[in-house]
Amino acid sequence: MLKRLITIVAIIAITGGCSTVARNETSPSPQNNQRVKAQQTAPQKKEIKNPEQVALHLEQLAKGIEGVENAHCVVFGNTAVVGIDVNSKLDRSRVGTIKYSVAEAFHKDPYGIDAIVSADIDIAQRLNEMGADIRKGKPIRGFAEEMADIIGRIVPQVPREVIPVKPDNELTPALNKHH
């Protein structure tokens, strides 16, 4: 059931992106005008050559934001994922503001411009555990284990797909008669 749903969504997304619709070309398109030039306002992303150093840099940058109690960063390839710890008593809007402030600080940093920031306590803890595994020299194993745990929490369980276990004892059928 879940596989069918994912397949259908993927097919719709692919075919929707491939459709061509006639457009009214009344206004000049920047693609057709060779004189129009865009300027890059955001910093260019730097290639990450030392993942541990970049992770420490982004953690320190995040910790410098008011309201961030701790930060955990893991770098894979040229992408950084940062989990921030905030006071658990803060309301959702305040947490969102803090997360936005961290993203704003990262926007100005060439290593943080494309980083992913999460204020989810479970994600932050898993990133901390991944970072520990990386420092112990087990980057792939640590990543695989934590990603399996994360995905196990994200993937929904559909009641229709649950297969009931056949009871082995005499007590269970008696309980089922009352429901």
Side-chain angles (χ1 to χ4, degrees):
M1 172 80 177
L2 184 60
K3 289 180 184 178
R4 286 188 205 156
L5 181 62
I6 292 172
T7 303
I8 291 170
V9 170
I11 290 171
I12 291 171
I14 291 170
T15 57
C18 295
S19 67
T20 56
V21 178
R23 295 182 183 145
N24 183 2
E25 294 289 339
T26 56
S27 64
S29 170
Q31 295 171 341
N32 298 335
N33 188 347
Q34 300 300 327
R35 294 176 290 176
V36 176
K37 293 183 181 180
Q39 284 188 319
Q40 186 81 15
T41 56
Q44 290 289 332
K45 182 176 183 178
K46 280 189 173 180
E47 183 179 347
I48 298 174
K49 295 181 180 172
N50 186 338
E52 287 183 38
Q53 183 180 3
V54 170
L56 287 173
H57 168 72
L58 293 176
E59 286 175 1
Q60 292 304 314
L61 192 58
K63 289 176 188 178
I65 303 300
E66 185 180 338
V68 175
E69 294 178 352
N70 204 353
H72 311 285
C73 180
V74 175
V75 176
F76 295 103
N78 211 25
T79 302
V81 182
V82 181
I84 58 172
D85 294 335
V86 296
N87 186 324
S88 62
K89 294 182 174 141
L90 293 176
D91 64 12
R92 185 178 57 180
S93 65
R94 180 66 183 133
V95 172
T97 302
I98 294 169
K99 188 168 85 168
Y100 184 83
S101 296
V102 171
E104 193 173 42
F106 284 0
H107 181 78
K108 298 172 185 173
D109 186 89
Y111 289 115
I113 186 72
D114 290 327
I116 299 165
V117 180
S118 174
D120 181 82
I121 193 164
D122 187 48
I123 297 291
Q125 181 58 36
R126 299 226 182 260
L127 289 171
N128 186 27
E129 292 171 11
M130 275 191 257
D133 287 336
I134 289 169
R135 287 186 289 280
K136 291 177 188 172
K138 300 186 282 183
I140 296 173
R141 180 178 171 203
F143 175 75
E145 288 174 357
E146 296 305 326
M147 287 307 294
D149 289 343
I150 291 169
I151 291 168
R153 289 177 179 243
I154 293 172
V155 175
Q157 181 64 55
V158 181
R160 184 179 301 275
E161 294 177 357
V162 173
I163 300 171
V165 179
K166 301 261 184 198
D168 288 339
N169 60 31
E170 299 291 323
L171 182 60
T172 308
L175 292 174
N176 288 338
K177 288 180 185 177
H178 294 94
H179 294 290

